[in-house]
Amino acid sequence: MTTTMMRLRQHLSSSPIYTSAIARIGNNRLPLQKQLRTSTTARNNKLLLLLLVLLVLFFLLIPTVPPARVMSSSSSAASSVPFENPRSVVKKLLAESQPEGQGATVRRSIGRHELRNLDPFLMLDEFSVSKPAGFPDHPHRGFETVTYMLEGAFTHQDFAGHKGTIRTGDVQWMTAGRGIVHSEMPAGDGVQKGLQLWINLSSKDKMIEPKYQELQSKDISRAEKDGVEVRIIAGEAFGVRSPVYTRTPTMYMDFTMRPGSQLHQPVPQGWNAFVYIIDGEGVFGRETSAPVSAHHCLVLGPGDGLSVWNKSGAPLRFALVAGQPLGEPVVQHGPFVMNTRAEIQQAMEDFYYGRNGFERAQQWSSSA
Ligand code: FJE
Ligand code: FE
């Protein structure tokens, strides 16, 4: 033990650094030693201060470093997205053809088992119908139907004498409320195509008087910006508003994007939103995600806006739909959508006996 200590001491004393330090101290008398001690404590204080400043700077910088890095990485991705919280695609669904009505086929997306309902939306059908197929006399209660013609014409007749034909680009926004009985039949030759969306009504609006809002193609608000054209069916885009009154707050846009164009469309926070691709293919949500083609429905996650890129060589056409969720129980029995089973029972009885809004149901049948 002691021998190793001595050897260590010997080794240290022979080391040039150790000896020179000893020599320096040894050569200096007491006042100088004091001077030296005070100057080293001053130097230590300076060092400590520097360390403190560095530490403060370090902790001040730490929270700003990650966002700065995120911002630079997103802006370096060719085009920055102007949203604080961009919406991304959380579900992708191909709407496959299925029989509906009388001899008609629809591509249903919302309303299938995989996508029961996306509050406040109950159903989205892309219909392709040729005579004599169609949707003969049937009732509705508790929600709205929005029919948007993509190609051809459809004639509508209801039990209150309301009759009309909508053609390519026209919209019929029907609030069924307490009750409508109607027929919806193709009016032209060949295939008649369109989209029908069902929007739920809140409990306080389910039994209101029926109402129609019909817009001819020429009266639908349009806007254009940087290779993107939009037909504004409900809500606002590019600073242009639709005149349609939406009892359940809804936005409904028909976008057509030229090859190479991009779109950044705000969508109200807290609203449920989806995209339905009508034609072509596009990149939705994240610029690096895989392109999606026609007849797909994309459910969007939370956020403040949607970004879309058309990286293909052909036009991209899609509907962007968003709505404020009602947050109420949904009990559906075919064309009746209420809040409770008792209300569904009531609706079926009312329709059967011709009461509470279905008074004209019994003695009416369409001429179609
Ligand atoms: C309906 C069966 C139906 N999708 N798309 C049962 F076919 C219908 C119905 C439609 C419909 C109508 C048009 Cl124009 C377009 C549609 C279903 O009319 F309401 C029930 N209950
Ligand atoms: Fe209908």
Side-chain angles (χ1 to χ4, degrees):
M1 262 288 260
T2 42
T3 47
T4 47
M5 284 278 276
M6 273 163 71
R7 240 184 260 152
L8 196 79
R9 218 174 270 166
Q10 247 175 0
H11 168 77
L12 278 173
S13 59
S14 64
S15 135
I17 301 166
Y18 190 72
T19 43
S20 67
I22 290 214
R24 232 187 290 141
I25 294 167
N27 286 345
N28 293 327
R29 294 287 173 262
L30 212 97
L32 245 171
Q33 266 183 320
K34 220 180 196 173
Q35 206 182 312
L36 204 87
R37 217 183 296 142
T38 51
S39 74
T40 47
T41 50
R43 204 186 301 147
N44 280 348
N45 281 347
K46 266 187 203 163
L47 261 162
L48 223 89
L49 205 82
L50 197 80
L51 213 88
L52 212 87
V53 167
L54 277 171
L55 218 85
V56 164
L57 271 169
F58 182 72
F59 279 107
L60 273 173
L61 280 172
I62 252 191
T64 65
V65 162
R69 207 183 292 148
V70 166
M71 271 171 75
S72 66
S73 78
S74 71
S75 60
S76 70
S79 49
S80 63
V81 161
F83 304 120
E84 219 168 273
N85 184 17
R87 286 182 182 250
S88 60
V89 175
V90 295
K91 195 167 188 169
K92 178 182 137 183
L93 200 127
L94 175 66
E96 284 168 85
S97 294
Q98 63 180 70
E100 190 53 280
Q102 209 164 80
T105 52
V106 299
R107 287 179 181 270
R108 184 159 298 166
S109 42
I110 295 162
R112 300 168 35 154
H113 320 289
E114 298 95 319
L115 196 53
R116 201 65 230 142
N117 72 72
L118 186 69
D119 191 7
F121 306 111
L122 303 162
M123 189 198 83
L124 179 72
D125 279 0
E126 179 187 358
F127 58 93
S128 281
V129 184
S130 306
K131 284 175 182 172
F135 307 94
D137 309 10
H138 60 276
H140 292 282
R141 175 181 278 184
F143 60 99
E144 301 183 298
T145 70
V146 180
T147 311
Y148 182 41
M149 289 310 294
L150 297 175
E151 190 185 320
F154 246 69
T155 295
H156 161 269
Q157 279 183 57
D158 84 0
F159 69 163
H162 186 274
K163 192 176 169 178
T165 300
I166 50 170
R167 297 164 209 286
T168 309
D170 297 351
V171 176
Q172 184 203 59
W173 197 291
M174 182 186 89
T175 306
R178 66 210 297 245
I180 283 280
V181 182
H182 69 174
S183 70
E184 297 153 286
M185 303 300 281
D189 292 319
V191 190
Q192 321 293 306
K193 291 184 184 177
L195 296 176
Q196 189 169 88
L197 176 71
W198 290 10
I199 308 171
N200 205 0
L201 285 168
S202 74
S203 57
K204 68 170 184 357
D205 291 332
K206 283 188 180 294
M207 294 300 280
I208 59 174
E209 281 302 312
K211 178 188 170 179
Y212 289 95
Q213 297 177 82
E214 266 154 340
L215 286 180
Q216 288 199 343
S217 185
K218 62 175 172 57
D219 300 321
I220 289 175
S221 319
R222 290 154 178 268
E224 217 234 287
K225 200 170 89 183
D226 306 327
V228 180
E229 202 193 304
V230 61
R231 295 169 57 82
I232 303 140
I233 296 162
E236 186 185 319
F238 300 168
V240 181
R241 262 204 91 77
S242 158
V244 167
Y245 173 64
T246 61
R247 213 160 289 268
T248 302
T250 303
M251 102 180 250
Y252 192 154
M253 304 295 165
D254 171 11
F255 282 107
T256 301
M257 296 176 63
R258 275 215 294 266
S261 64
Q262 55 178 280
L263 163 73
H264 306 284
Q265 173 62 41
V267 177
Q269 291 259 20
W271 286 23
N272 284 325
F274 69 89
V275 160
Y276 188 78
I277 302 157
I278 297 164
D279 235 325
E281 59 173 52
V283 171
F284 295 83
R286 301 274 177 271
E287 198 176 358
T288 48
S289 56
V292 187
S293 58
H295 314 300
H296 279 92
C297 179
L298 307 173
V299 179
L300 306 179
D304 53 359
L306 172 70
S307 295
V308 185
W309 295 266
N310 183 357
K311 298 185 177 189
S312 78
L316 162 68
R317 187 180 183 190
F318 65 92
L320 169 62
V321 183
Q324 188 171 51
L326 298 169
E328 293 178 8
V330 176
V331 184
Q332 177 168 4
H333 182 81
F336 306 126
V337 183
M338 304 302 286
N339 298 112
T340 66
R341 288 183 64 176
E343 287 167 350
I344 289 295
Q345 187 61 36
Q346 184 68 51
M348 290 195 290
E349 276 173 33
D350 286 348
F351 178 56
Y352 186 82
Y353 293 109
R355 296 195 285 235
N356 293 319
F358 285 119
E359 283 78 5
R360 299 170 201 252
Q362 284 168 317
Q363 63 269 30
W364 179 83
S365 81
S366 72
S367 58

